Amino acid sequence: MATVRGLVRGTREVLRAPSGDPLDQGRLGQRLGQRSARGAVSTLVGQWTRLVLQTGSTIVLARLIAPAEYGLVAMIVSLVGVGDALWNLGLSQATIQRRDVRRDQVTFFFWVQALIGAILTALVIALAPVIAGFYDQPRLVPLTVVLSSMFLINGLASQHQAVLTRQMRFGLLSAMDVLGLIVGVVAAIVIAALGGGAWAIAVMTLATPVVRLVLSWTTSGWRPGPPRRGQDVAPMMRFGVSLTFTNILDYSAQNLDNILIGRFYGADALGLYSRAYNLLLMPIRQVTAPISRVAVPVLSYLQDQPERYRRFFMVAFSAVAYAALPSICLLAALSQEVIAVMLGDQWLGAVPIFRILSVAGLLVTLRSTNGWLFVSTGHTGRQALWALANRPVIIAGFVIGLPWGTTGVAWGFLGAHAVLLLPSFAVSVKDSPVSMRNIWQCAWRPIVIALAVYGAGASAHHW
């Protein structure tokens, strides 16, 4: 709660318009400090509600569904999920990042994303037998066909959610996510109890996008016009294409481990690995996702006010570090207890994987703030070049660790992110109001606290 209050106070102080400084963005710029602070709180509340729901559903579903069933869904998501980067084309972020955007531009982007979503859905359906053959798992064909609909659903909802983000209606966006999760969890538990296995996970995966689609169309106040080319969309398209290139590289590097494990070690091994990874991501996402949702539009608004930009970034970065690092260290110290309580005895094989990935999670959490700087300052071209340079390092880590099984892949993931930590910040702060010294000022105290928490947790586990 102290972190939440600090973020709220910092946001209001940083974004309070100085005397005599007119805001030139109309309605969006009015009471920006109050709107963003309220958005930070509502988003955090929504994320922590999601954490409670996800924790409860994980405990229940892990006892109803075998590791191999989780592995089947992970096989599909890891291989076709690169389409998530393609259907968006970065156009949602382009709508959010621009200080001024017109209705015809947003309409044009809507139809582009809807068309790409439809094409990707059809393509994945056609490739379903190929994907099943790659993993030698015939059961993947119907699962792949059903999960392919995510591309079309997301393509139809993306611009509406971008409009809601521009309006800083973060409470509504959080409510959509919570409602979608509730629907998905209830349906998944019922299906799993009836012996549905992997289908329970597939239905839960689709629930949130469907709820977002329905609610974003009914609440955003914006409707697309007929298809036509918007004016002056080329700069925004270039911004989006650069961001898409980065997202594709990101997804490939982040999911190649799942593809390799599924291909060479099978569904059981992938189920253990993916559950360990997702269990770790649950608390990380509850911290980074809501703050990122607020940080990117606010920093984009402040891009021509360097001092206020720097102060807001430091407030947001500190909030991420204080909230995430100690909790991740506690999870690492108590890995065996966490797996036993959350997933049950059939998942104890995931303990060494979870312990290694927890350490990697510290580095991934800190590096997640790099994207705020690249996107808010419009330097997505540089972000793409940096991704092209560093993603081979992550891929090399996976390949080098593969002969040693799932723990070897986890060690490769950790080593790659350790190598890339400092260079990633050096590249992202360039030509921004933030410096490496600012990063260190925000990071050193949370790191010290996290190490103390790890020591306490390790001592408790030993005794």
Side-chain angles (χ1 to χ4, degrees):
M1 288 303 296
T3 300
V4 174
R5 287 195 296 269
L7 179 62
V8 174
R9 286 196 299 269
T11 303
R12 284 177 171 165
E13 175 189 350
V14 169
L15 296 177
R16 186 179 297 118
S19 145
D21 178 27
L23 297 176
D24 60 355
Q25 205 178 3
R27 182 172 176 267
L28 180 59
Q30 295 173 7
R31 298 180 290 112
L32 182 60
Q34 181 181 355
R35 290 159 65 89
S36 56
R38 187 169 58 244
V41 173
S42 60
T43 306
L44 283 170
V45 170
Q47 286 298 118
W48 284 106
T49 304
R50 282 170 54 83
L51 177 61
V52 172
L53 292 170
Q54 287 174 336
T55 302
S57 65
T58 297
I59 293 172
V60 174
L61 292 174
R63 288 158 174 80
L64 295 173
I65 303 174
E69 299 294 301
Y70 278 98
L72 290 174
V73 177
M75 286 176 176
I76 301 170
V77 173
S78 60
L79 200 57
V80 307
V82 69
D84 281 334
L86 287 173
W87 69 261
N88 196 336
L89 275 183
L91 300 181
S92 301
Q93 288 290 352
T95 299
I96 296 168
Q97 192 268 344
R98 286 285 288 246
R99 286 181 64 93
D100 298 293
V101 65
R102 296 194 308 274
R103 180 176 293 270
D104 65 301
Q105 293 170 327
V106 181
T107 295
F108 175 71
F109 294 156
F110 167 83
W111 287 109
V112 169
Q113 290 178 310
L115 177 61
I116 294 175
I119 292 173
L120 286 172
T121 294
L123 181 62
V124 171
I125 291 174
L127 291 176
V130 178
I131 295 170
F134 176 79
Y135 289 115
D136 194 23
Q137 292 283 354
R139 290 179 59 196
L140 293 182
V141 174
L143 284 168
T144 302
V145 170
V146 171
L147 288 172
S148 69
S149 62
M150 281 195 302
F151 300 127
L152 179 59
I153 293 168
N154 287 330
L156 292 172
S158 183
Q159 283 299 313
H160 291 80
Q161 292 180 70
V163 170
L164 289 171
T165 303
R166 278 186 64 85
Q167 297 169 351
M168 297 192 181
R169 298 173 68 182
F170 302 114
L172 177 58
L173 290 166
S174 296
M176 291 181 190
D177 292 342
V178 170
L179 181 59
L181 183 58
I182 291 172
V183 173
V185 166
V186 172
I189 291 174
V190 172
I191 294 171
L194 295 174
W199 285 103
I201 310 167
V203 169
M204 189 166 65
T205 302
L206 285 173
T208 298
V210 170
V211 171
R212 284 177 182 163
L213 172 64
V214 174
L215 292 184
S216 62
W217 270 75
T218 56
T219 59
S220 67
W222 173 79
R223 294 290 182 276
R228 64 177 181 177
R229 180 181 176 84
Q231 297 181 353
D232 302 323
V233 297
M236 300 173 74
M237 291 289 290
R238 286 194 295 270
F239 172 95
V241 168
S242 297
L243 188 59
T244 299
F245 181 72
T246 302
N247 290 339
I248 292 172
L249 292 175
D250 280 348
Y251 195 92
S252 301
Q254 291 169 5
N255 288 272
L256 182 62
D257 50 350
N258 288 334
I259 295 173
L260 293 174
I261 292 171
R263 178 66 178 82
F264 291 101
Y265 293 100
D268 281 306
L270 179 55
L272 292 173
Y273 184 91
S274 64
R275 274 295 86 193
Y277 188 75
N278 287 323
L279 184 60
L280 174 65
L281 284 182
M282 271 202 310
I284 293 177
R285 285 173 175 165
Q286 309 319 309
V287 175
T288 58
I291 297 177
S292 296
R293 179 177 282 179
V294 176
V296 172
V298 173
L299 290 172
S300 298
Y301 181 83
L302 296 175
Q303 59 187 292
D304 58 351
Q305 302 174 54
E307 181 58 30
R308 298 172 73 195
Y309 183 106
R310 177 168 50 253
R311 283 188 288 150
F312 180 82
F313 176 86
M314 293 177 69
V315 167
F317 183 96
S318 297
V320 168
Y322 276 114
L325 301 193
S327 61
I328 295 173
C329 282
L330 185 61
L331 292 176
L334 302 176
S335 299
Q336 184 169 335
E337 290 78 4
V338 170
I339 294 294
V341 171
M342 293 292 294
L343 303 180
D345 292 343
Q346 65 174 331
W347 296 87
L348 289 178
V351 170
I353 304 169
F354 184 80
R355 186 175 294 119
I356 300 166
L357 291 178
S358 296
V359 181
L362 296 171
L363 309 179
V364 172
T365 300
L366 293 175
R367 289 190 62 203
S368 68
T369 60
N370 297 159
W372 304 352
L373 298 169
F374 284 124
V375 174
S376 64
T377 56
H379 290 140
T380 54
R382 181 187 302 158
Q383 185 182 21
L385 292 174
W386 170 239
L388 187 61
N390 73 67
R391 292 311 180 258
V393 177
I394 299 175
I395 293 172
F398 293 149
V399 174
I400 292 171
L402 185 62
W404 289 272
T406 52
T407 54
V409 173
W411 276 114
F413 182 74
L414 169 58
H417 280 281
V419 169
L420 294 170
L421 180 63
L422 292 180
S424 67
F425 278 109
V427 174
S428 63
V429 302
K430 185 179 179 182
D431 297 329
S432 81
V434 180
S435 67
M436 290 291 287
R437 182 171 177 269
N438 298 144
I439 300 293
W440 175 245
Q441 286 174 327
C442 297
W444 75 267
R445 291 182 183 87
I447 291 174
V448 170
I449 294 172
L451 292 175
V453 168
Y454 180 84
S459 298
H461 170 76
H462 174 75
W463 289 110

